[in-house]
Amino acid sequence: MSHRNEKWVNLVAHPLGKISYFKGRPIVCLNERIMYSRQGFFTMSHELGHVIMHEGYGGYQTAD
């Protein structure tokens, strides 16, 4: 189940999530290994927090 604005990508083992910017708009990429899991929902929340709190910066979250 995937929505038009949702994109899961193969990021190998790490990172679990990352933020990129395209034309000034944030794109949150999540590792497909954690799709629809508790870790996936946590990682999405974590990355959205970065978008809100650190506008303009990229980053990623790992499990380590």
Side-chain angles (χ1 to χ4, degrees):
M1 176 173 133
S2 185
H3 302 287
R4 286 179 28 203
N5 295 329
E6 181 179 295
K7 178 75 175 180
W8 296 84
V9 293
N10 184 353
L11 299 173
V12 281
H14 294 287
L16 298 178
K18 70 176 190 172
I19 302 166
S20 298
Y21 285 84
F22 180 73
K23 295 186 178 181
R25 295 185 152 220
I27 300 168
V28 177
C29 299
L30 299 175
N31 194 313
E32 64 186 2
R33 288 188 317 109
I34 58 171
M35 186 183 308
Y36 306 120
S37 68
R38 288 182 181 175
Q39 184 68 54
F41 296 124
F42 176 86
T43 302
M44 173 57 86
S45 300
H46 177 92
E47 296 303 329
L48 288 174
H50 282 297
V51 170
I52 294 166
M53 296 176 68
H54 311 291
E55 186 176 344
Y57 291 97
Y60 61 89
Q61 185 227 345
T62 67
D64 296 334

